Amino acid sequence: MSIKKLISSYATYNLSANQHFVKWLSNQSEEQLQKEVPSSFNSILRTLNHIWAIEEMWCANVFKNEDVVNRYGVENLQSKEVFDGLLNRSAVISEKVKQLTDEEFSEKMHIKTPWFEANLTLAEYLQHLFNHGTYHRGQIVTMGHSLGFTEMPSTDFLFYSIIQSNR
């Protein structure tokens, strides 16, 4: 399997997982989504906003998009804005990844942010981005359990891949 195929699969998986989460969370009240729960970010909506913020940051750093939205420090979160913003950015990333060549995935990129400085390949940065979303979606499931939510979506990459291979 080529690196392009693998990372493209992760990009479409990331979009799909975010779509499943937005569909699931759309059935919860705004109050529940904003209720404080002990975690890295103290509410489901803040955690989802963080996932969106990181996707925006990577779109700016990796793809040099100038239309990125700064989500850091946003206090007055509204679920519809966060849901729509996350899904839109995830779709853009998925499309941009599909347009890359195998060679581009192997190119090293120097990136310096307030949190780190690195010179890794584009594939490594993208893998980190998708892993980051998975990590925080796991936190959201745990937060949802503590709030009494049910019917959490199953978004494991393995099951996503099995479904895709049977199509």
Side-chain angles (χ1 to χ4, degrees):
M1 173 184 290
S2 74
I3 194 72
K4 177 182 174 86
K5 183 170 170 65
L6 180 63
I7 300 297
S8 294
S9 292
Y10 271 108
T12 55
Y13 155 74
N14 181 67
L15 173 58
S16 174
N18 286 338
Q19 288 168 334
H20 286 297
F21 264 70
V22 165
K23 181 178 178 185
W24 169 58
L25 294 171
S26 293
N27 294 320
Q28 313 305 327
S29 72
E30 191 77 25
E31 179 183 49
Q32 287 287 84
L33 295 174
Q34 299 208 32
K35 187 170 182 140
E36 290 200 13
V37 180
S39 193
S40 298
F41 300 91
N42 65 355
S43 76
I44 287 175
L45 201 55
R46 283 194 176 122
T47 306
L48 209 59
N49 185 70
H50 171 72
I51 296 170
W52 177 22
I54 296 302
E55 288 198 6
E56 292 287 346
M57 187 217 45
W58 281 107
C59 222
N61 281 298
V62 169
F63 298 116
K64 308 302 183 211
N65 273 46
E66 294 182 15
D67 68 338
V68 296
V69 179
N70 184 356
R71 296 303 300 170
Y72 287 101
V74 176
E75 291 295 322
N76 195 11
L77 299 175
Q78 299 300 312
S79 60
K80 180 166 179 19
E81 177 186 20
V82 174
F83 293 166
D84 291 348
L86 175 62
L87 294 182
N88 289 334
R89 187 50 69 196
S90 296
V92 167
I93 291 170
S94 182
E95 283 306 308
K96 287 191 172 291
V97 166
K98 289 176 191 172
Q99 295 169 10
L100 295 169
T101 65
D102 281 315
E103 294 76 29
E104 288 172 309
F105 284 107
S106 298
E107 289 177 9
K108 293 238 178 190
M109 297 180 71
H110 180 263
I111 295 180
K112 183 177 181 178
T113 74
W115 306 280
F116 72 90
E117 183 172 354
N119 191 38
L120 301 174
T121 65
L122 178 56
E124 289 170 305
Y125 289 128
L126 291 169
Q127 185 64 38
H128 165 73
L129 169 62
F130 305 134
N131 188 56
H132 174 268
T134 300
Y135 172 79
H136 286 296
R137 284 188 299 268
Q139 288 181 320
I140 290 171
V141 167
T142 300
M143 295 165 84
H145 280 296
S146 72
L147 292 168
F149 294 3
T150 59
E151 301 180 25
M152 284 73 164
S154 174
T155 58
D156 285 347
F157 180 72
L158 173 68
F159 298 118
Y160 168 82
S161 297
I162 291 169
I163 290 168
Q164 294 305 307
S165 70
N166 289 329
R167 288 188 175 179

